[in-house]
Amino acid sequence: MKILITTDLYTTATNGVVTSVNNLMEELEKKGHEVRVLTVSERLRSHKDGNIYFIKSVPLDVVYPDVRMPVSYRHRYLRELVEWHPDVIHSQCEYFSYQFAKYISRKTHAPIVHTYHTLYEQYVTYIFPSQRIGAFFVGKLSKLRLRNAEAIVAPTHKVEDVLKNYGIHNPIHVVPSGIALEQHKERITDEERTARRRELGIPDDCTVLLNLGRLGTEKNLPELVELFHMALSHNRKIMLMFVGDGPARKELEELTEKLEIREHVIFTGMVDPTEVHKYYQLGDVFVSASTSETQGLTYVEAAANGLPLLCRQDPCLDGVLVPGSNGFAYEAEEEFCEIIDTILQNPDWCHTAGQKSEKIAATFDKSHFAEKIEDVYEAVVSK
C-alpha cells in the first residue's frame, strides 16, 4: 500500500506528534508499505530528504512558539506526490498540512484518515482572551475542517468524547499511539545513576519528582511547583526536576524564586533525545499536573522506565495509570501531599509499582499501534 503522511510538525522539537509519526512510518515500512511524509520546512526553502518532502514556510510565533506556516500550496512536490498516487493519506495536523492532504485527495481520490492529536481548547488563550469563546471556535473549526476525512483516529476515549461533543459524525477509531520501547528498556547502572544525580546537585538520600516534556503554559506546570512547595513543608528530602524547555520556563523559575524553593528545583533544559531514558531513570516518581494531554506519551515512557506515576486526574490516564498499583491520580492539593508522604514511607511499594509500570507500558509498543492503524487504512480503502 502507498501511504502518504501529512504533518505540520516533523523537524521541530520532539513532541507527541513527531514521535507518533516517526514510529508509525518505521513500523509501516517494516510491514512492506511504501510511505512518504509531506511536512512544513523549517526554513524559507522547500527540499527533500529521501521520502520526506518539506514545503517552504515562514514563522508564525505570534500564534504559538515554533509554529510555521507554509507559503506554497501548489509546489512541484505536491504534483510529484499526486503522480505517485497514494492509496491512503494519513493527516496528523488539522491546519496547514491538512490543505496538502485535501489537495492530493481531490486529485487522486485517495481517502483521508486523520489523527486528532491535540486538544486545542487548552491552547486557545494564546489567541483568544476567553477560553470559553476559544473552545467554541475550536469546535466549529474542527468540525468544518474534518468533514472531508473518511475516518478519524483518536488516541483515547477522552479525545473521542471531545470530538463527539463538537458534533463530528465521521467514523472514529480509538487507537492509542505507540512508542518505541527499545530505548526505554535500557537501564543505566546504579553507579551511573548516582554520578549523574550528584552532577545535578541531588543528594544521595533525596527523592526526585520528575517531569519531562515541553515547558508549555498549557501543561499547568505552576500548579506542580505550588504543590511541590506544599509537599516540601512535610519533607525536605525531596527535589523537583524539569527535563525539557519551553516558553513557560522563565515563569516557573521566577515562581521558584518567589516561593524560596529554587535550591530544590532543577531545570535541565533540552536534552539529547538519545539520553531521554537516562533522565527518566534519574527520577523516583513521575509527576504531572497537565489536563491538556490527548494521551500523554511521556506517561507511558516514564512507566516504561520503571517509574511510578503521580498525575492530576484526567481521562487520558485510562490504561496507563492503575491507582494504587503503579501510581496515583490526585484531584485536590491535599491529596498530592498525602500521596507523596505515602510514597516516601513505602519504598517497597515504590519498587513494586515501578515494575508494574513497566508491564503496563509494554502494551503500548509501536508494533501493536501500526497493526491497528493498518486495519483502519484497509477499512477506508475497501470502502
Side-chain angles (χ1 to χ4, degrees):
M1 191 180 294
K2 293 180 179 179
I3 302 161
L4 174 64
I5 298 175
T6 61
T7 176
D8 292 358
L9 303 168
Y10 193 76
T11 57
T12 53
T14 301
N15 63 17
V17 177
V18 178
T19 299
S20 181
V21 169
N22 281 324
N23 289 339
L24 180 60
M25 183 179 182
E26 181 180 339
E27 291 301 312
L28 289 173
E29 288 178 337
K30 284 182 183 178
K31 290 175 170 292
H33 298 292
E34 189 178 348
V35 185
R36 298 187 184 184
V37 174
L38 176 60
T39 188
V40 178
S41 175
E42 70 283 3
R43 53 186 181 273
L44 190 59
R45 186 175 71 83
S46 297
H47 60 101
K48 277 176 63 175
D49 182 6
N51 287 334
I52 315 298
Y53 295 72
F54 298 88
I55 303 298
K56 59 185 177 181
S57 69
V58 294
L60 206 61
D61 291 342
V62 66
V63 175
Y64 188 77
D66 297 333
V67 168
R68 296 189 67 91
M69 179 178 69
V71 293
S72 175
Y73 284 94
R74 294 294 183 270
H75 194 275
R76 61 184 174 84
Y77 287 162
L78 273 70
R79 294 195 295 272
E80 183 178 326
L81 290 167
V82 167
E83 292 171 2
W84 177 59
H85 208 294
D87 296 302
V88 65
I89 301 168
H90 191 164
S91 164
Q92 306 286 331
C93 298
E94 293 77 23
Y95 297 103
F96 302 125
S97 60
Y98 194 73
Q99 288 297 113
F100 301 150
K102 288 205 303 182
Y103 173 78
I104 295 172
S105 174
R106 192 164 59 246
K107 293 291 185 180
T108 64
H109 303 292
I112 297 175
V113 172
H114 179 78
T115 294
Y116 201 91
H117 286 282
T118 307
L119 292 179
Y120 295 99
E121 294 180 16
Q122 305 290 334
Y123 295 75
V124 293
T125 51
Y126 283 93
I127 303 174
F128 296 97
S130 165
Q131 185 166 4
R132 185 174 62 85
I133 295 174
F136 172 80
F137 276 102
V138 165
K140 291 295 184 183
L141 186 56
S142 294
K143 183 178 180 179
L144 180 66
R145 293 294 283 176
L146 299 180
R147 69 187 187 279
N148 304 103
E150 189 70 33
I152 297 175
V153 174
T156 58
H157 289 289
K158 170 186 176 179
V159 178
E160 179 187 28
D161 292 342
V162 168
L163 294 175
K164 288 180 177 178
N165 286 335
Y166 288 164
I168 292 174
H169 301 296
N170 314 51
I172 300 175
H173 303 262
V174 178
V175 182
S177 297
I179 67 169
L181 288 174
E182 293 83 1
Q183 180 194 50
H184 301 292
K185 289 178 181 177
E186 297 176 8
R187 292 291 178 264
I188 60 176
T189 64
D190 291 340
E191 292 77 16
E192 181 181 357
R193 183 175 189 268
T194 299
R196 282 175 170 263
R197 282 167 61 109
R198 287 175 179 174
E199 287 176 7
L200 290 167
I202 302 170
D204 292 346
D205 61 348
C206 208
T207 298
V208 175
L209 312 183
L210 180 141
N211 178 276
L212 187 147
R214 176 182 172 79
L215 303 185
T217 306
E218 69 283 351
K219 302 293 185 180
N220 199 25
L221 296 170
E223 176 181 293
L224 202 54
V225 174
E226 296 276 6
L227 291 173
F228 173 74
H229 176 234
M230 292 176 59
L232 199 59
S233 64
H234 293 238
N235 192 313
R236 303 296 293 181
K237 291 186 177 181
I238 57 174
M239 296 191 76
L240 175 62
M241 181 161 71
F242 289 105
V243 180
D245 213 337
R249 177 171 175 172
K250 183 179 179 182
E251 175 192 357
L252 294 173
E253 289 178 330
E254 291 174 350
L255 180 57
T256 62
E257 296 284 357
K258 177 183 176 183
L259 297 174
E260 299 181 348
I261 58 171
R262 187 68 185 85
E263 69 275 13
H264 287 271
V265 182
I266 298 169
F267 293 89
T268 68
M270 289 296 291
V271 300
D272 188 326
T274 62
E275 297 268 296
V276 165
H277 66 294
K278 296 182 179 180
Y279 279 88
Y280 274 119
Q281 292 168 42
L282 298 183
D284 297 291
V285 181
F286 180 83
V287 291
S288 174
S290 177
T291 56
S292 68
E293 312 300 324
T294 53
Q295 180 179 352
L297 291 179
T298 54
Y299 302 167
V300 181
E301 290 180 351
N305 281 280
L307 293 183
L309 312 177
L310 173 54
C311 307
R312 174 168 277 286
Q313 178 60 51
D314 190 76
C316 80
L317 294 170
D318 292 347
V320 181
L321 192 159
V322 180
S325 178
N326 76 317
F328 296 95
Y330 74 91
E331 293 186 22
E333 295 177 351
E334 297 77 13
E335 282 184 278
F336 183 93
C337 294
E338 289 172 3
I339 292 168
I340 290 295
D341 289 342
T342 299
I343 290 173
L344 293 175
Q345 293 165 14
N346 294 276
D348 289 341
W349 175 88
C350 210
H351 177 72
T352 303
Q355 293 177 327
K356 291 179 179 177
S357 276
E358 292 179 44
K359 291 180 180 179
I360 291 172
T363 63
F364 289 85
D365 186 83
K366 60 181 181 177
S367 61
H368 303 313
F369 166 55
E371 288 173 2
K372 293 177 181 178
I373 292 295
E374 192 178 36
D375 291 341
V376 176
Y377 294 164
E378 290 174 354
V380 298
V381 169
S382 63
K383 183 179 178 181

